[in-house]
Amino acid sequence: MNAADTAIKPIIGLTTYLEQAGTDGCGNVRAAFLPEKYLTPILDAGAVPILLPPQPTAGDMIEHLVSRLDGLVIPGGWDVDPTRYGQEPHPETDSPRPERDEWEAALILEAIRQDVPLLGICRGEQLLNVTLGGTLHQHLPDVLGTGHYQLGGYQFNGIRVDIRPDSLLGRLLGAAALDAVPVSHHQAVDRLGEGLIATAWSQDKVVEAIEHPGARFCVGVQWHPEQLAEEKALFHGFVEAASAKMLSRLRPAAVESLDFAHEMAAS
């Protein structure tokens, strides 16, 4: 066993689906699950992923939960309920999952309040924007006249994105354009939420990444970095920020313990 195996690792919460699922062992059941591809880069970056299924948010539960996380990932999934940003559903918009929307929005707000590193992927980026008061284009083919952002059939299309050089994303991934990030979305950020800036765009000028510059680490990407085995910089940067958050919480506890030891020695 090496030192890395015994080191204290940051805890990363990942929100999950809560859907009907077919399994070999339990049959067709309602289950919380998340594709393994979201877990692998978190593990590879040296953190411990835990799953956070949708649940009630009453009382101080969200505050206490987020205070025990070092980082939070809001993954992809079904479309955000358009009533959350004051619109009627487009015919192509998914049926709403209000429980998941409510759960994740509460986590997002509390993570920002506690300055817990936050990474939103695809739907996660969109919900971050909506939660902070922004809006979405509900169906990009109506806006752009093309459906190449979502091929269908669980396929990803590769598109070029240009990154703002002076952004956190630019510092992590470099200022050069990324030539083939995998995308599968028919919606996208329209009006930005409060405090957010756009930091990457497609060649069609669709917003492909957003950030909250006032936070330790608050990034949303419209593409799917978990689908790229070679994409390590974004997840490593996120986990490094989570490690720093973890250490910032451990230091006060260590100082208190040392002060107590001094008091006992003097008594």
Side-chain angles (χ1 to χ4, degrees), residues 38-247:
Y38 286 107
L39 307 178
T40 301
I42 299 297
L43 288 164
D44 289 347
V48 177
I50 61 171
L51 301 186
L52 304 173
Q55 55 197 278
T57 60
D60 297 331
M61 188 271 283
I62 290 287
E63 179 181 354
H64 291 309
L65 171 60
V66 173
S67 72
R68 287 160 173 77
L69 298 177
D70 303 308
L72 175 66
V73 177
I74 310 294
W78 301 107
D79 295 335
V80 176
D81 187 348
T83 63
R84 297 190 73 88
Y85 49 98
Q87 294 184 13
E88 292 295 319
H90 185 282
E92 296 297 325
T93 297
D94 298 328
S95 298
R97 267 64 172 180
E99 298 86 359
R100 185 179 180 191
D101 287 347
E102 190 67 27
W103 169 240
E104 291 179 334
L107 288 170
I108 287 169
L109 288 174
E110 189 60 25
I112 293 173
R113 190 186 75 82
Q114 293 191 32
D115 202 20
V116 170
L118 171 64
L119 175 61
I121 297 173
C122 195
R123 166 197 156 87
E125 181 231 26
Q126 295 169 4
L127 186 60
L128 168 61
N129 190 59
V130 169
T131 300
L132 295 183
T135 63
L136 304 178
H137 294 296
Q138 282 196 58
H139 195 53
L140 283 176
D142 289 351
V143 179
L144 303 174
T146 176
H148 73 265
Y149 288 91
Q150 188 174 65
L151 297 179
Y154 308 106
Q155 299 180 76
F156 293 89
N157 195 16
I159 67 164
R160 171 187 165 125
V161 296
D162 293 295
I163 299 174
R164 180 171 168 169
D166 62 345
S167 64
L168 174 57
L169 201 61
R171 293 193 294 274
L172 290 173
L173 303 183
L178 302 179
D179 288 329
V181 298
V183 295
S184 180
H185 63 95
H186 76 115
Q187 301 194 333
V189 168
D190 183 9
R191 188 183 73 244
L192 285 166
E194 185 177 354
L196 296 172
I197 61 171
T199 56
W201 301 263
S202 70
Q203 291 183 292
D204 295 323
K205 303 305 179 186
V206 171
V207 173
E208 287 288 330
I210 57 177
E211 294 178 17
H212 195 312
R216 177 191 302 265
F217 188 112
C218 182
V219 174
V221 293
Q222 184 62 78
W223 67 88
H224 283 267
E226 81 284 355
Q227 296 295 324
L228 293 170
E230 68 275 17
E231 172 51 82
K232 300 183 184 299
L234 178 57
F235 288 104
H236 278 265
F238 169 66
V239 169
E240 283 179 9
S243 296
K245 181 65 175 179
M246 177 187 69
L247 290 174

